[in-house]
Amino acid sequence: MSTPGRGLHGHVLDTLGPEITAGEYPPGSVLRTDELAQRFDVSRSVMREAVRVLESMHLVESRRRVGVTVRPMSEWNVYDPQVIRWRLAGKDRARQLRSLTVLRSAIEPVAAGLAARHATSQQCAELTECALGMVANSRGHKLEEYLVHDMAFHRVILDASGNEMFARLGDVVAEVLAGRTHHDVMFEDPDPAAVTLHVQVAEAVRAGDAVRAEELTREITVGALQELDILAP
Amino acid sequence: MSTPGRGLHGHVLDTLGPEITAGEYPPGSVLRTDELAQRFDVSRSVMREAVRVLESMHLVESRRRVGVTVRPMSEWNVYDPQVIRWRLAGKDRARQLRSLTVLRSAIEPVAAGLAARHATSQQCAELTECALGMVANSRGHKLEEYLVHDMAFHRVILDASGNEMFARLGDVVAEVLAGRTHHDVMFEDPDPAAVTLHVQVAEAVRAGDAVRAEELTREITVGALQELDILAP
DNA sequence: GGAGACAAAAAGTCAGACTTATTCGTCACG
DNA sequence: CGTGACGAATAAGTCTGACTTTTTGTCTCC
């Protein structure tokens, strides 16, 4: 995605990471560095670097005389964008998408409220532009163009909140929106009500109306949650 | 903290990580693997493993013929518990604490609402126990004992929400609460109103009253935000 | 002054030997 | 029988040195 297989150790991670996050090795499973190096046909140095990265994500733990043991899912660094990507590409993408959508529903309304207070005039302009782009592509099976503007819209909101923790969720939200468009729901044109809400949020932010921006965004995320409930009650 | 200097590469990270997150190397600064290996008196293999970990946190980027370049703060994986710890131990701990408290104010109310729906009877019992422990230690300069129960309380709420993304913020919230007690505010006994709110949240969760649990928790987090505003308006 | 070739620099890779910590089995001792 | 200590096996950890690959800056040459 962002950094595709840069170097041999990257290629190893592209295979091993998804396998682990997909749960192919039950927690407590033991892998041996040497065997992995053989399997991927790389030197032990390269394999060790890959293991170190997995370890920094808390996916595995490396202990002397034991080997590389897989940690239970509850200990994974589930906010690591790489881990999120692996899991979204794997088996439990539905569960993952639900968790992330709930996260969105908590974060984005608050972020929109802050954005109404902190957004620069340029960010307001970008927001309006994105909302207009969504309107323009809301009919006629132009889902891809719509998605681009939708992702940009939410990224601007999160950035404009002025909170770095929120801002860093831009990639995650984009991934969720993309996943929704490309796989699960959204067979036809997007919900007109949602499009309108985005336009209204842009207006509220520009007007500096924090309460209204927060409430409108809450409606958007509630809608996203309902979409999931319809799909898998 | 959790995994203190495990192995040589861990020791290198314990020094280099805080240096980078403290901003001692401006974005775009170039480090050379060989020089770093010399500086820390380790072999290049060990140094490379450390660089790989820093790279997986998006703190640096390693490119051929160029070296290891430090990335701008906006690209760091700020949700990585290790990065959070490094930053909380460093220069901008105040800024970091503020960001995290805003994050809490978005997450915890929603988590409490979900907890009211999903908490098991055992989790309800734990919650009540924590709240009672907070009451018992709310007077008489027993800040440490109070803190333990406070951290446990919020961890149970986040776990009981049933959302893994929320659950994994337990460590972060604990870190924020600990930081608040040990450094910034909290010179004397905690605010009695806050203690009462925790007890009421425990009751609301046990009663399955999601709306009330959410609203009460919102009051708690608003209080935490106000504490910061009083300290640094 | 632009395009292409060349050289230097730094990360990337590999192989092999050695070190160290941990675990497990065994054996002696209570 | 249990128990504790000793020792051997094992797999990660470390170091070294040689080699490869990619990128970049420069220096021609047209």
Side-chain angles (χ1 to χ4, degrees):
Chain A
M1 198 70 70
S2 63
T3 49
R6 196 185 39 220
L8 283 189
H9 96 283
H11 176 253
V12 171
L13 284 174
D14 287 343
T15 307
L16 199 51
E19 283 181 5
I20 294 175
T21 54
E24 291 187 22
Y25 307 96
S29 302
V30 176
L31 310 172
R32 251 77 49 94
T33 305
D34 290 8
E35 290 182 9
L36 290 173
Q38 277 200 338
R39 172 183 160 194
F40 290 103
D41 194 37
V42 295
S43 68
R44 284 197 329 239
S45 340
V46 169
M47 197 59 230
R48 287 179 54 75
E49 289 171 26
V51 167
R52 283 280 176 261
V53 172
L54 294 175
E55 200 176 26
S56 86
M57 297 167 173
H58 276 66
L59 261 44
V60 302
E61 186 182 1
S62 180
R63 274 166 51 200
R64 270 186 153 129
R65 166 54 194 199
V66 174
V68 178
T69 65
V70 178
R71 298 185 141 192
M73 190 188 302
S74 61
E75 296 177 9
W76 297 351
N77 281 3
V78 288
Y79 285 89
D80 189 307
Q82 183 86 93
V83 173
I84 291 176
R85 242 172 277 134
W86 287 339
R87 296 185 68 191
L88 280 178
K91 192 68 182 307
D92 60 341
R93 66 167 283 118
R95 221 173 67 87
Q96 173 78 347
L97 219 45
R98 179 173 293 266
S99 296
L100 292 175
T101 304
V102 172
L103 179 68
R104 278 188 62 196
S105 75
I107 297 290
E108 294 206 61
V110 177
L114 289 172
R117 296 180 171 281
H118 296 88
T120 66
S121 57
Q122 192 194 333
Q123 286 169 327
C124 289
E126 286 176 27
L127 218 49
T128 305
E129 196 182 343
C130 292
L132 291 181
M134 291 175 68
V135 172
N137 294 289
S138 61
R139 294 180 176 278
H141 296 286
K142 295 186 276 190
L143 284 181
E144 283 304 321
E145 294 86 343
Y146 178 85
L147 173 62
V148 170
H149 290 95
D150 196 9
M151 293 192 300
F153 181 94
H154 290 275
R155 191 184 296 275
V156 172
I157 288 280
L158 291 167
D159 277 342
S161 73
N163 183 303
E164 63 178 347
M165 302 303 289
F166 291 170
R168 284 302 284 162
L169 288 176
D171 291 338
V172 174
V173 171
E175 211 94 46
V176 172
L177 295 174
R180 186 173 63 167
T181 298
H182 292 145
H183 296 272
D184 297 295
V185 299
M186 283 243 180
F187 308 105
E188 41 194 49
D189 289 342
D191 178 13
V195 180
T196 304
L197 281 170
H198 281 77
V199 175
Q200 290 174 316
V201 168
E203 286 170 3
V205 169
R206 156 158 274 169
D209 189 340
V211 175
R212 185 166 154 77
E214 178 169 343
E215 192 48 48
L216 289 166
T217 305
R218 206 173 295 281
E219 286 186 45
I220 292 178
T221 58
V222 166
L225 282 172
Q226 284 173 343
E227 260 181 15
L228 287 186
D229 286 334
I230 293 167
L231 203 73
Chain B
M1 198 71 69
S2 63
T3 48
R6 196 185 36 217
L8 283 188
H9 97 282
H11 176 252
V12 171
L13 285 175
D14 287 342
T15 307
L16 200 51
E19 283 181 5
I20 295 175
T21 54
E24 291 187 23
Y25 307 97
S29 301
V30 175
L31 310 172
R32 250 76 51 90
T33 305
D34 290 7
E35 288 181 10
L36 290 173
Q38 277 200 338
R39 172 183 161 196
F40 291 104
D41 195 36
V42 295
S43 67
R44 289 196 321 275
S45 343
V46 170
M47 197 59 229
R48 286 178 54 74
E49 289 171 24
V51 168
R52 283 281 178 260
V53 172
L54 293 175
E55 200 176 27
S56 85
M57 297 168 173
H58 276 64
L59 260 45
V60 302
E61 185 181 2
S62 181
R63 275 166 50 199
R64 272 185 155 136
R65 167 62 165 125
V66 174
V68 178
T69 66
V70 178
R71 306 182 100 157
M73 190 188 303
S74 61
E75 296 179 9
W76 298 350
N77 281 2
V78 289
Y79 285 89
D80 189 306
Q82 183 85 90
V83 173
I84 291 176
R85 241 172 277 135
W86 287 338
R87 297 185 68 190
L88 280 178
K91 193 67 182 308
D92 59 342
R93 65 168 283 119
R95 219 174 68 87
Q96 174 78 348
L97 220 45
R98 180 173 292 267
S99 296
L100 293 175
T101 303
V102 173
L103 179 68
R104 277 188 63 195
S105 76
I107 298 290
E108 294 206 60
V110 176
L114 289 172
R117 297 181 170 280
H118 295 88
T120 66
S121 57
Q122 192 193 334
Q123 286 170 327
C124 288
E126 286 175 26
L127 218 50
T128 304
E129 197 182 344
C130 292
L132 290 181
M134 291 176 69
V135 172
N137 294 288
S138 62
R139 293 179 178 279
H141 296 288
K142 294 187 278 189
L143 283 181
E144 282 306 319
E145 293 86 344
Y146 178 85
L147 173 62
V148 170
H149 290 96
D150 197 9
M151 292 191 303
F153 181 92
H154 290 276
R155 191 183 295 277
V156 173
I157 289 281
L158 291 167
D159 277 343
S161 74
N163 183 303
E164 63 178 350
M165 302 303 288
F166 290 170
R168 284 302 285 162
L169 289 176
D171 291 336
V172 175
V173 171
E175 211 93 47
V176 172
L177 295 174
R180 186 173 65 167
T181 298
H182 292 145
H183 296 273
D184 297 296
V185 298
M186 282 244 181
F187 309 106
E188 42 194 50
D189 289 342
D191 179 13
V195 180
T196 304
L197 281 171
H198 281 78
V199 174
Q200 290 174 317
V201 167
E203 286 170 4
V205 169
R206 157 157 275 170
D209 189 340
V211 174
R212 185 166 153 78
E214 177 169 343
E215 192 49 46
L216 288 167
T217 304
R218 206 173 295 281
E219 286 186 45
I220 292 178
T221 57
V222 165
L225 283 171
Q226 284 174 343
E227 261 180 15
L228 287 186
D229 287 336
I230 292 166
L231 203 73

